[in-house]
Amino acid sequence: MSIKKEFGRQIKKLRTANGYTQEKLSEMIDISQRALSSIELGKNFATAETLDKILAAFNITPEELFATNYLKDPDELLKMINKNITEIGNNSEKLEIIYNLTKSLNKK
């Protein structure tokens, strides 16, 4: 898979995980919805300026944005998950999303 397609898939994954529509994210990063769609489809790549805005919109590092196929130690992942949940605080909407996600992952 090309870097543009892999990157586009990652942006879409982050966008949907954060509950953003294309319209909302495109406003946040100051590009048109059409430009965002082209990025997500792997037709175009983001500029350096847009990359900075994407990192800020998702509050992630470049490593997190571009590391699409990596594994971390389970203890490290658990610490990171707990840190994220702590940072979310009492945001009931986000906590409900986490609850539903973990519930669906726990189904047998």
Side-chain angles (χ1 to χ4, degrees):
M1 181 176 297
S2 76
I3 184 73
K4 287 193 301 187
K5 287 196 181 293
E6 188 70 28
F7 178 75
R9 288 178 57 184
Q10 181 74 341
I11 295 299
K12 183 175 182 177
K13 183 175 116 182
L14 288 165
R15 177 178 60 77
T16 57
N18 282 276
Y20 299 148
T21 63
Q22 280 187 340
E23 181 179 15
K24 173 70 174 168
L25 181 58
S26 64
E27 288 174 7
M28 292 172 69
I29 62 175
D30 197 30
I31 63 173
S32 70
Q33 189 174 345
R34 175 178 259 164
L36 178 58
S37 177
S38 291
I39 291 169
E40 286 188 358
L41 293 171
K43 294 179 180 178
N44 292 322
F45 199 78
T47 65
E49 183 179 319
T50 300
L51 284 174
D52 282 338
K53 291 176 182 178
I54 289 169
L55 295 173
F58 294 126
N59 191 29
I60 58 174
T61 65
E63 293 82 8
E64 291 171 307
L65 178 60
F66 288 102
T68 57
N69 296 314
Y70 68 93
L71 296 175
K72 293 192 180 286
D73 175 77
D75 289 335
E76 183 181 357
L77 283 173
L78 190 55
K79 286 178 188 175
M80 292 169 65
I81 290 167
N82 286 329
K83 179 180 178 254
N84 289 340
I85 291 171
T86 300
E87 289 177 0
I88 288 170
N90 291 328
N91 184 318
S92 61
E93 185 177 312
K94 289 183 178 182
L95 288 172
E96 187 172 326
I97 291 169
I98 292 170
Y99 170 76
N100 288 329
L101 176 62
T102 57
K103 183 178 175 183
S104 69
L105 291 172
N106 203 27
K107 290 183 180 177
K108 296 180 181 185

